[in-house]
Amino acid sequence: MATIYDVAAYIAESVGEMSAMKLQKLMFYSQAWNLVWEEEPLFSDDFEAWANGPVLPALYDRHRGMFKVEKSLFKDGSSSNLSTAQKENIDKVLGFYGEKTAQWLSNLTHQEDPWLNARGDSPVGAYSNETIPQSAIHEYYSSI
């Protein structure tokens, strides 16, 4: 199975430099749609329902304190670890979500059940590290 760094490297190769928040959201939608289209995850790491949307904590640790990220940050990741189908799925996600701003993507996740349900009654902007289950992601995006 690919790692989050393999997927992040592929996204960064495809998109170029972007904000750390945008990368997190593109990672989320890549995972979501791969779960729907292939019925398996791209990577095993789980997202958490943070205040600004879904976040991979290990990826956040890598870019903590950075506004912009690019491929060199993921030297331990390799897009060659992704299958042709996985790359095609990520490309579809980038084709739809790639031109959107980080804030637009964050706002979108705030309207969707996986993030909303994981946060429960947490107030807007409040800290949360609740896991967003892959099953909830698959179920929601399979229905739209």
Side-chain angles (χ1 to χ4, degrees), residues 71-107:
K71 184 180 181 284
S72 68
L73 189 60
F74 311 109
K75 290 179 182 165
D76 54 339
S78 174
S79 58
S80 65
N81 292 330
L82 299 172
S83 70
T84 300
Q86 289 171 327
K87 289 177 183 177
E88 288 172 355
N89 290 339
I90 295 168
D91 289 343
K92 289 177 195 172
V93 167
L94 297 178
F96 184 80
Y97 299 98
E99 295 299 315
K100 309 295 187 198
T101 67
Q103 191 61 54
W104 189 94
L105 294 169
S106 179
N107 291 345

Side-chain angles (χ1 to χ4, degrees), residues 6 30 42 45 53 70 86 90 100 106-107 112 115 126 131:
D6 297 331
S30 294
L42 275 172
D45 296 55
E70 45 92 21
Q86 289 171 327
I90 295 168
K100 309 295 187 198
S106 179
N107 291 345
E112 297 174 329
W115 181 83
T131 297

Side-chain angles (χ1 to χ4, degrees), residues 109-131:
T109 64
H110 288 202
Q111 299 168 32
E112 297 174 329
D113 286 350
W115 181 83
L116 288 168
N117 293 340
R119 286 192 58 86
D121 294 332
S122 297
V124 172
Y127 171 82
S128 171
N129 67 345
E130 289 297 319
T131 297

Side-chain angles (χ1 to χ4, degrees), residues 2 4 9 13 22 30-31 37-38 48 51 63 76 80 83 101 107 119 125 130 140-141:
I4 58 173
E13 287 168 12
K22 183 170 182 170
S30 294
Q31 178 77 311
W37 296 327
E38 302 300 325
E48 293 181 358
H63 64 64
D76 54 339
S80 65
S83 70
T101 67
N107 291 345
R119 286 192 58 86
E130 289 297 319
Y140 177 78
Y141 292 97

